[in-house]
Amino acid sequence: TPEKTGGAARGGAVGSAYEQVYKKKKSSDVPLRKGDRVWTFCRVKAPPGAAGADLGATSVKSPKPELGMIVEEEKDGSLIIQFEKAEDEKDRLALYLSPKKAKIRGWLRYPRIFEGKKQRIPLAWIQTNRPPPRLCGCSRQEWGHSCKMLSDTGVDLGCCGISCGRGTSRKVWGVGQ
């Protein structure tokens, strides 16, 4: 059998096109902008008897990451991130456990509205290798955008397309049909 050759024998640089197209971005290459949702650890109160509580520290790094939204750009190696309000989280989790809401359980799994406390979080606590959950099923991940829809005959319906806001609709369904 012939000896296997690398990409250089085929006339190209070894892996240059492959690295540009197929490799994942490194965590340092991902830009963090205002309005982006990220997985990050947050500051929580130290439990009594913990090592951080003995030293007089009032807050420590949380054991699990939470989903938050970036409110301010990077400054001095940290970002200001806003998390879900405690009342909203309580309501969302109650609906998630309700058997009547079993069909929308996937939607209730993660927070969508971030109106809670803001915290200054160091960049090392942000998990850039874990993408946030998708807002909707299309490629455009912006809150409340409208998707263009084509009719059966191929005519562009433009502003009459569906809205990916999920939960907000300007149309009155069932009237005038």
Side-chain angles (χ1 to χ4, degrees):
T1 61
E3 195 172 315
K4 292 184 178 179
T5 59
R10 286 185 234 129
V14 179
S16 64
Y18 172 79
E19 289 174 0
Q20 291 176 357
V21 178
Y22 295 106
K23 289 226 175 180
K24 284 186 173 182
K25 291 182 179 179
K26 293 181 181 177
S27 60
S28 60
D29 296 342
V30 178
L32 297 172
R33 297 181 303 261
K34 181 179 177 179
D36 287 349
R37 296 173 305 130
V38 292
W39 285 101
T40 181
F41 294 95
C42 62
R43 297 184 192 279
V44 294
K45 289 182 180 178
D54 296 339
L55 299 175
T58 57
S59 61
V60 294
K61 183 178 174 181
S62 62
K64 290 183 179 180
E66 291 190 23
L67 194 62
M69 186 173 67
I70 298 174
V71 178
E72 276 189 29
E73 300 288 333
E74 179 184 352
K75 185 177 179 182
D76 299 330
S78 62
L79 295 167
I80 294 182
I81 297 181
Q82 191 167 17
F83 296 96
E84 183 179 26
K85 197 184 325 180
E87 299 162 2
D88 292 343
E89 182 180 13
K90 183 181 173 185
D91 294 342
R92 180 178 57 83
L93 292 177
L95 290 174
Y96 179 78
L97 296 173
S98 171
K100 291 183 179 181
K101 302 294 181 181
K103 291 185 179 181
I104 62 168
R105 189 165 284 154
W107 175 254
L108 296 170
R109 185 172 293 134
Y110 301 110
R112 307 281 186 213
I113 301 170
F114 303 97
E115 296 176 345
K117 293 186 177 182
K118 297 177 187 176
Q119 294 183 357
R120 184 171 296 277
I121 304 292
L123 288 174
W125 289 12
I126 297 174
Q127 294 186 335
T128 53
N129 59 350
R130 184 178 178 186
R134 297 177 62 83
L135 288 170
C136 61
C138 64
S139 61
R140 222 172 126 190
Q141 292 295 303
E142 296 173 10
W143 187 258
H145 69 274
S146 61
C147 293
K148 289 196 174 182
M149 216 169 106
L150 297 177
S151 68
D152 296 336
T153 58
V155 177
D156 184 14
L157 297 176
C159 64
C160 298
I162 62 170
S163 174
C164 287
R166 283 198 174 186
T168 59
S169 180
R170 294 186 189 135
K171 297 179 183 178
V172 178
W173 298 100
V175 177
Q177 292 181 357

